[in-house]
């Protein structure tokens, strides 16, 4: 039995559901917006997790679940809560808490647990884990001090800037207009990185499989190229075996069964890893490349194979020196340093 958690109409969720249906796999959807009609009970007895959920008139035994795909939105923003009374709000909160607890301790293949996804909450921290896995990382500065940004720019030339957290932001070049706005960072530390020219490659790692897409673009952030008057052309590509294995090793070290890995094949021959997204919007890439990512997700959930890495492995790893990647670890500078281990 596969359980899919989230909003069924959201495109990545809908695509996984469609593939589960095509493959004839048993499945239950935990619709966030139907929390009132889908009671969920969980009991932990020793090392065993017991429980059930009600899907219409059908009771589903949680012990029979082989895989969980979760793309859960923040319950506080569900339409059902806009004018809800306190009892409904508490019911929704309790339902989502039970769901969250179960996802963290359920056996089988989970895409993904919150504990494993946590590294993406701090890009500077995750970058250090990426470097430990043998990838190059652009020289990085996290600061709210404009003077340090000017010094960093003088050393490295062209810079880009983006958010520190997992919140999506548009990656931009630090041009003259942005330089004029630098005093604004005093109230919100920002991440700056050396601009590395090259070709973007998005890698989706799915339960041991790898799907790579090459992006040709004339913008720094290809995701917003079309809205910015630019172009972005995606094509499927084949990674060298060694690089594919390194990507799989990275997501395993992070405890993930599904990830979107942002690589940059630099013009100077270096291979940089910019970020690992634990809840990738793979639908955009599948629609452009034709790669069967949703099908691989469905099949991985059905197999029930768990990642070899335990969630949070890297956060407690032996702090041995990282491999020589040709690029230093991100160095927090300025005041204050935030989001760092």
């Amino acid at each position: 039995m596969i359980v899919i958690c989230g909003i069924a109409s959201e495109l990545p969720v809908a695509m996984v559901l469609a593939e589960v249906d095509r493959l004839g796999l048993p499945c239950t959807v935990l619709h966030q917006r139907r929390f009132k009609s889908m009671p969920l009970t969980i009991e932990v007895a020793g090392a065993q997790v017991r429980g059930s959920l009600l899907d219409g008139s059908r009771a589903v035994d949680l012990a029979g679940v082989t895989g969980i795909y979760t793309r859960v939105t923040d319950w506080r923003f569900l339409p059902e809560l806009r004018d809800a009374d306190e009892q409904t709000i508490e019911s929704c909160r309790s339902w989502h808490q039970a769901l969250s607890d179960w996802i963290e301790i359920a056996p089988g293949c989970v895409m993904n647990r919150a504990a494993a996804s946590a590294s993406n909450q701090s890009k500077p921290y995750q970058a250090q884990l990426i470097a430990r896995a043998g990838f190059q990382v652009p020289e990085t500065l996290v600061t709210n001090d404009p003077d340090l940004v000017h010094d960093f720019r003088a050393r490295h030339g062209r810079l880009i800037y983006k958010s520190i957290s997992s919140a999506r932001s548009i990656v931009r070049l630090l041009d003259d207009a942005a330089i004029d706005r630098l005093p604004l960072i005093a109230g919100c530390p920002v991440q700056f990185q050396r601009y590395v020219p090259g070709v973007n490659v998005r890698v989706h790692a799915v339960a041991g499989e790898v799907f790579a897409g090459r992006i040709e673009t004339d913008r720094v952030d290809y995701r917003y190229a079309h809205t910015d008057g630019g172009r972005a052309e995606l094509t499927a590509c084949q990674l060298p075996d060694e690089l594919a294995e390194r990507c799989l090793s990275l997501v395993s070290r992070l405890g993930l069964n599904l990830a979107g890995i942002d690589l940059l094949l630099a013009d100077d021959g270096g291979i940089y890893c910019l970020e690992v997204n634990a809840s990738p919007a793979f639908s955009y890439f599948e629609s452009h490349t034709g790669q069967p990512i949703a099908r691989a997700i469905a099949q991985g959930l059905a197999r029930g194979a768990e990642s070899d890495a335990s969630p949070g492995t890297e956060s407690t790893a032996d702090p041995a020196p990282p491999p020589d990647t040709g690029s230093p670890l991100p160095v927090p500078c300025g005041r204050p340093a935030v989001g760092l281990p």
Side-chain angles (χ1 to χ4, degrees), residues 9 35 50 57 63 177 189 191 219 263 293 295 314 324 334:
S9 59
F35 60 90
R50 302 170 183 166
S57 60
Q191 180 172 220
R219 292 293 185 268
L263 298 183
I293 302 171
R295 173 163 291 225
E314 283 293 343
D324 183 5

Side-chain angles (χ1 to χ4, degrees), residues 9 20 36 59 68 77 136 140 148 159 183 207 212 214 216 222-223 230 234 248 273 280 290 293 295 306 335:
S9 59
V20 166
K36 288 184 178 181
I68 306 170
F77 299 105
Q136 291 180 254
T140 301
L148 291 176
L159 305 179
R214 180 185 178 97
E216 299 284 352
Y222 66 85
R223 299 170 302 171
L234 281 67
L248 291 175
C273 180
I293 302 171
R295 173 163 291 225
E306 179 63 279
R335 54 179 202 283

Side-chain angles (χ1 to χ4, degrees), residues 123-143:
K123 290 185 176 71
Y125 170 59
Q126 189 190 70
Q128 296 181 65
L129 304 183
I130 289 170
R132 288 179 185 175
F135 285 96
Q136 291 180 254
V137 176
E139 289 82 357
T140 301
L141 168 72
V142 178
T143 187

Side-chain angles (χ1 to χ4, degrees), residues 220-249:
V220 173
D221 194 331
Y222 66 85
R223 299 170 302 171
Y224 299 94
H226 294 299
T227 58
D228 197 30
R231 64 176 182 85
E233 300 171 0
L234 281 67
T235 55
C237 66
Q238 187 74 32
L239 293 182
D241 290 345
E242 183 277 332
L243 182 54
E245 286 300 321
R246 206 190 317 172
C247 289
L248 291 175
S249 175

